[in-house]
Amino acid sequence: MNNRIQKTLDERKIGDTKVELLTFPIGQLFEEKEKINRKILNVIYILCMKERPIPRIPFKDLQKCTDKIVLLFSDEVAEWALDINEKKIEIKRVAQTRFYKEYKKKNYNSFVKWRPDFDIPIKRSYALYDARKKNAEYIWLLDDDIIISQDNYFRAIRAMVGGKGIVGFHVTEYPDMSIMDHAKRIVDHHNARISMTGSCMFINVKKVRGYFPYVYNEDLFFFMQQPFQNVVSGGTIRQVERTSWTDFERIRHEQLGDFIYNVYKSRFLKLNTGMIDWKNEKKEQLEQLNRLYETVSDEMVKEAVGVAYEATKYIDIYEVEEFVNNCQFADWVYRL
């Protein structure tokens, strides 16, 4: 591993598995451990789904951190939420809002058809919109399957009070990674290289710009719209078990976002430099997927790689260029 990559990655051991946390140019670990006991969060937004169980962090614990909790559902509400009758907990059906319809119309891309119910970017963008309407300054966006320690929480609050715009976290157990990275881990025995995620994200609303694009990896693209010194990681957290490589419709849908982010990640790691030639990048990723398909022995992973290969062939370079232009990434993204 060259010196630049050593400065970029923070190696951790989770059980018997080594993972490398990508910490440059965004995701630097915030190490301040001083506890702040005062309540600063205005609203906690929890991204919920009808078919999923109640959020892993109990409401009674979350209510100690804020005066308002908003449960974001798409349209139909989960059974466990139907009996909630507390003033401090609001249930919002995002799909019934005008914001939802306008967002989908404005941000459509050709990969939406593979997973039309995918609404995480809409919920996150709605949370920002709603927070601004409420004149909220500090908010917490939380996926319903995330588990966070008290130390993580206090570190995030300290970073917020210290002036940071966003505190995300690195998910080390069952992290969301591209099928290409998953296959490389098996074939090439690479450690998992994990970027900071937005699945547990503290935001100073007044210090952020941009939006969450309607594509997989929308949290990473949101981070790339911010000044990088404003975005830090509060450490490592856990989420419930996932086996996303068994869901082929999900793999097809994720390829557009994975393709674009993999190109930028290679530059963050200094594996590639110079101006981006998207046509050539597509050719290179197809070659990598083809090599992995020919090499991997696990039949389920092999089939998943094949699905990713076919979906990547479908990517339209003009659509990619339009997407990148619309994101209006921060200047540092183009200087690396």
Side-chain angles (χ1 to χ4, degrees), residues 231-325:
V231 183
V232 295
S233 171
T236 59
I237 57 174
R238 296 184 294 136
Q239 67 183 11
V240 298
E241 182 176 352
R242 293 185 180 181
T243 53
S244 56
W245 58 89
T246 64
D247 185 339
F248 294 160
E249 291 302 291
R250 175 172 174 167
I251 290 172
R252 290 186 181 94
H253 164 254
E254 291 177 357
Q255 287 318 293
L256 179 61
D258 275 338
F259 167 72
I260 296 171
Y261 183 67
N262 282 338
V263 171
Y264 285 108
K265 184 168 70 170
S266 70
R267 279 156 176 77
F268 299 160
L269 293 165
K270 288 302 177 185
L271 301 175
N272 285 317
T273 56
M275 294 290 291
I276 295 174
D277 181 339
W278 290 104
K279 185 176 181 180
N280 189 59
E281 295 287 354
K282 177 179 174 179
K283 178 183 175 184
E284 287 188 7
Q285 288 198 32
L286 284 170
E287 288 174 352
Q288 289 187 60
L289 287 166
N290 185 61
R291 177 186 69 84
L292 293 167
Y293 181 82
E294 296 294 334
T295 310
V296 70
S297 57
D298 185 296
E299 288 301 319
M300 177 63 75
V301 176
K302 188 181 190 74
E303 190 171 357
V305 170
V307 170
Y309 178 88
E310 292 301 321
T312 302
K313 283 171 58 178
Y314 179 78
I315 290 174
D316 183 333
I317 298 305
Y318 293 107
E319 183 174 36
V320 170
E321 292 173 341
E322 182 180 19
F323 171 85
V324 170
N325 288 335

Side-chain angles (χ1 to χ4, degrees), residues 3 47 124 175 211:
N3 288 336
L47 280 65
R124 288 178 176 157
Y211 71 110

Side-chain angles (χ1 to χ4, degrees), residues 67-119:
D67 293 324
K68 190 74 173 178
I69 296 173
V70 179
L71 306 180
L72 299 177
F73 287 91
S74 182
D75 194 349
E76 297 184 71
V77 176
E79 287 189 15
W80 57 260
L82 295 175
D83 296 329
I84 292 177
N85 187 22
E86 295 187 42
K87 289 183 179 179
K88 290 187 177 182
I89 300 180
E90 176 186 346
I91 296 174
K92 192 69 181 181
R93 294 172 169 87
V94 179
Q96 296 181 4
T97 65
R98 182 176 174 181
F99 177 91
Y100 180 91
K101 296 176 177 63
E102 291 179 351
Y103 178 98
K104 289 190 77 171
K105 182 178 179 180
K106 182 178 178 181
N107 296 284
Y108 179 83
N109 63 73
S110 62
F111 275 68
V112 170
K113 69 177 184 180
W114 299 116
R115 202 173 166 203
D117 295 333
F118 177 69
D119 64 358

Side-chain angles (χ1 to χ4, degrees), residues 147-209:
I147 303 163
I148 177 175
S149 71
Q150 189 178 69
D151 284 343
N152 285 144
Y153 168 78
F154 283 122
R155 191 177 296 116
I157 296 301
R158 177 60 183 166
M160 290 280 96
V161 171
K164 297 301 180 183
I166 299 174
V167 183
F169 289 86
H170 287 82
V171 177
T172 52
E173 292 186 31
Y174 307 105
D176 291 327
M177 64 174 67
S178 70
I179 189 60
M180 185 161 68
D181 285 344
H182 181 62
K184 279 183 180 178
R185 198 161 54 92
I186 296 171
V187 173
D188 300 330
H189 306 290
H190 285 172
N191 293 340
R193 288 178 173 174
I194 302 168
S195 297
M196 186 178 77
T197 178
S199 57
C200 179
M201 179 170 29
F202 294 75
I203 297 177
N204 183 332
V205 178
K206 296 181 179 180
K207 287 199 168 190
V208 297
R209 52 169 294 225

